[in-house]
Amino acid sequence: MATATQQKENTLLHLFAGGCGGTVGAIFTCPLEVIKTRLQSSKLALRTVYYPQVQLGTISGAGMVRPTSVTPGLLQVLKSILEKEGPRSLFRGLGPNLVGVAPSRAVYFACYSKAKEQFNGIFVPNSNIVHIFSAGSAAFITNSLMNPIWMVKTRMQLERRVRGSKQMNTLQCARYVYQTEGIRGFYRGLTASYAGISETIICFAIYESLKKYLKNVQLTPATNGTERNRNSTNFFGLMAAAAISKGCASCIAYPHEVIRTRLREEGTKYKAFIQTARLVAREEGYLAFYRGLFAQLIRQIPNTAIVLSTYELIVYLLEDHAK
């Protein structure tokens, strides 16, 4: 009976810690999330650049002008949003993000912790295979439950408005999706989210390995160091481990993010995961799968570092307090 109570308290602890970490990360990195989504969209306004093309043999030496489309960069998209829509537009989708991020992170970390307990009884405890299966299981459950909220968030971030005009709120956007596309509309991009489980698996496999390394380093005898110094070093070490693991995972699995954004656009030609991937590759080339990657990295790396380190800190403090 005591064991069951302890397991329940442990699950609630991970729910709370995961929710807090996700909320803090979402608030700080929302502007980069908006910019990244705009860069991933097929509706991104391509800038036309004119390159002079010299024609040999002409008396005047004048050349022809060759127009070429260039994808705007992160700073250009940021400047465009600020000039045309105002600073508040950088926080579009924050409402559903905050509504969704706390429960999604809470559900994810609780599922991950519970799955680790189960898989530790099947495989070698705390091995890479345990981390891979735990991360995959937790991501599958979280994506299935939270896709409607992320769908609404993406739609709000893609909506362009003239400065001063009224923007749809979360409930209005959700109602519009339901009226135009029905219940199925809330699950657009779910297949791409399932493909993105690979990113979560890679991230947590690297993170757990680095965390194990940090723990082994911490256990070695220190020559001149206090307990406080060791704890602070460990905390920043966890932030670095989270940043490295998320950076590697994002670079490897990023194309699914672009496909997911395309599938969530309103009234587009993108219908299914494979069909969208083929269409993007044929019409825009393979580099299109990495549009917005830089914005994703400078958003996700600090966000993941904040989320995971906040989560670990809260778990550490609450477990220490319980003792």
Side-chain angles (χ1 to χ4, degrees), residues 229-305:
N229 287 335
R230 284 198 296 272
N231 285 339
S232 62
T233 302
N234 190 47
F235 177 73
F236 287 111
L238 288 173
M239 289 191 76
I244 292 167
S245 58
K246 189 60 180 181
C248 295
S250 292
C251 289
I252 294 168
Y254 184 75
H256 88 274
E257 293 253 2
V258 175
I259 296 171
R260 184 172 61 196
T261 297
R262 299 295 178 91
L263 286 168
R264 288 175 178 172
E265 289 178 357
E266 182 185 358
T268 60
K269 54 195 171 184
Y270 306 111
K271 306 299 178 186
F273 184 86
I274 300 298
Q275 178 256 354
T276 301
R278 287 175 177 169
L279 209 55
V280 171
R282 186 171 66 246
E283 294 181 351
E284 304 172 52
Y286 291 103
L287 284 177
F289 289 112
Y290 289 90
R291 274 168 52 179
L293 176 59
F294 181 64
Q296 170 77 342
L297 290 176
I298 64 174
R299 183 193 79 87
Q300 278 285 33
I301 288 176
N303 180 61
T304 305

Side-chain angles (χ1 to χ4, degrees), residues 14 31 39 42 51 92 96 108 118 140 143 203 217 222 283 305 319:
H14 288 282
L39 285 165
S42 65
Y51 291 106
R92 298 180 72 171
Y108 180 84
Q118 299 298 320
F140 181 84
N143 289 340
C203 177
V217 169
E283 294 181 351
E319 283 183 341

